Amino acid sequence: MLERIITTLLESQNSDGGWGSQRGKRSNTEATSLAVVALQALPDGAPADRRKHAIEWLVRQQNQDHSWPLNEIVKEGSWTTAL
């Protein structure tokens, strides 16, 4: 069961490195942050290239004031900064 969940998570990663709230939707910081946390918690680790690509996406999104917006369209800091 866990293998299927991990496979589904990895298959739903967008080509830009992030995850959307649904498969195929625009990447956002909430979904991407939670996916990175989930991948880091795996007992055998997660594919390093997938985590790296996701973290790179998050870094590119960060605002000058160090907050994170929800996505590339809504640029004001959001509650996902805490993640």
Side-chain angles (χ1 to χ4, degrees):
M1 172 97 164
L2 182 58
E3 258 184 53
R4 188 165 38 123
I5 293 168
I6 294 165
T7 299
T8 299
L9 178 63
L10 293 173
E11 288 175 351
S12 63
Q13 186 175 21
N14 291 330
S15 62
D16 64 6
W19 277 265
S21 56
Q22 295 178 357
R23 180 180 255 170
K25 297 289 184 181
R26 176 185 309 278
S27 295
N28 68 64
T29 54
E30 177 182 15
T32 302
S33 297
L34 292 171
V36 168
V37 169
L39 292 173
Q40 289 177 330
L42 293 177
D44 296 331
D49 60 326
R50 296 299 193 95
R51 282 193 333 260
K52 182 180 180 206
H53 199 174
I55 291 168
E56 288 170 347
W57 183 87
L58 287 167
V59 169
R60 286 192 309 271
Q61 304 312 307
Q62 190 172 27
N63 290 326
Q64 296 266 333
D65 66 1
H66 305 289
S67 66
W68 270 273
L70 176 61
N71 57 39
E72 295 171 335
I73 294 173
V74 180
K75 294 304 283 180
E76 63 187 39
S78 72
W79 74 271
T80 57
T81 296
L83 292 174

